[in-house]
Amino acid sequence: MADGSLAGHSIHEVKDLSLPQQLYLYERTRRFKERKRINSSSERGVDTEYGSQEAPPLCEVTDGDVEERVDNPDSTVYLIFMEGSTRTRESLRNAAVYHGVKVNEFQAESSSFKKNETITDTMKMLSVYSTQRSVFVIRSALEGVCSWLRTAMSAHARRMGVPTPSFVNAGDGLFTHPIGEFVDIFSLLEHNQ
């Protein structure tokens, strides 16, 4: 996967990204961390060359010169945590802020969920507030919620003339936590270079 833009993908399970897409994600992450390490060393006056700790590439990346930052305030990340979480929520909030997109933190305990509004109705309402891409990061006790919403929201987005939102599973019940799995896999790859 040479130009592996992952924009617009929903991730309910790790297998929602093909192996080439995962390798692309890990390689872009590795390069991003290396650039940050070099910039940090330069700011402190430490002499370092790019690639001094560089491992062989995991895959070809033809868009490696494209900045990772989205920098589009018309795109929105919605953090919808219906279960307690500190590390995952804060990590994803900080990532969204870094990328220059609008961040909305949905407060389930004070929402229309209390009036029995369904999660599908809530997502339909929120999806039309963003004029560009919407990404819903969801942590819920409901297993399969991201998969369901990905299916349910396509027709609504077409009808409303908005881009189909993406859904990222930040943990659903006892089922899966793909973000944590991606981080674990990357950590293993990084450790073994």
Side-chain angles (χ1 to χ4, degrees):
M1 173 170 210
D3 180 2
S5 175
L6 299 173
H9 278 71
S10 285
I11 301 171
H12 173 68
E13 301 177 80
V14 168
K15 68 181 183 178
D16 287 336
L17 294 183
S18 67
L19 181 57
Q21 289 171 321
Q22 288 181 46
L23 291 174
Y24 171 84
L25 173 67
Y26 303 138
E27 181 61 22
R28 287 296 303 248
T29 303
R30 187 188 64 76
R31 292 176 185 206
F32 174 76
K33 283 186 72 175
E34 180 69 9
R35 280 195 308 278
K36 289 294 182 187
R37 184 187 66 78
I38 290 169
N39 290 342
S40 175
S41 295
S42 300
E43 290 171 6
R44 291 180 312 200
V46 176
D47 186 26
T48 183
E49 289 185 32
Y50 179 77
S52 61
Q53 297 178 357
E54 189 172 338
L58 297 168
C59 64
E60 180 184 0
V61 176
T62 59
D63 64 346
D65 59 332
V66 175
E67 173 69 37
E68 286 87 2
R69 291 190 77 230
V70 174
D71 209 15
N72 183 347
D74 291 328
S75 292
T76 307
V77 170
Y78 292 94
L79 300 175
I80 301 172
F81 281 71
M82 296 180 279
E83 291 185 317
S85 170
T86 302
R87 288 183 304 273
T88 302
R89 185 186 67 239
E90 289 304 308
S91 295
L92 293 166
R93 186 187 64 74
N94 287 331
V97 168
Y98 169 82
H99 281 287
V101 298
K102 184 170 46 176
V103 180
N104 286 334
E105 295 190 53
F106 180 81
Q107 304 300 323
E109 62 278 356
S110 62
S111 73
S112 291
F113 287 163
K114 294 293 183 189
K115 298 186 282 185
N116 293 323
E117 181 176 88
T118 68
I119 191 167
T120 306
D121 288 339
T122 300
M123 297 307 111
K124 285 179 177 180
M125 182 270 305
L126 292 173
S127 69
V128 297
Y129 287 155
S130 181
T131 58
Q132 295 292 315
R133 184 169 314 284
S134 293
V135 177
F136 292 91
V137 178
I138 301 174
R139 184 170 191 129
S140 168
L142 301 170
E143 293 182 9
V145 70
C146 287
S147 186
W148 159 251
L149 289 169
R150 173 179 53 201
T151 302
M153 291 298 294
S154 296
H156 173 73
R158 280 192 303 278
R159 230 181 5 266
M160 301 307 290
V162 296
T164 301
S166 298
F167 297 92
V168 176
N169 180 357
D172 65 343
L174 301 175
F175 184 60
T176 186
H177 192 326
I179 296 169
E181 292 176 58
F182 288 136
V183 170
D184 290 347
I185 293 167
F186 178 75
S187 296
L188 289 170
L189 289 170
E190 190 175 40
H191 179 73
N192 291 317
Q193 292 197 42

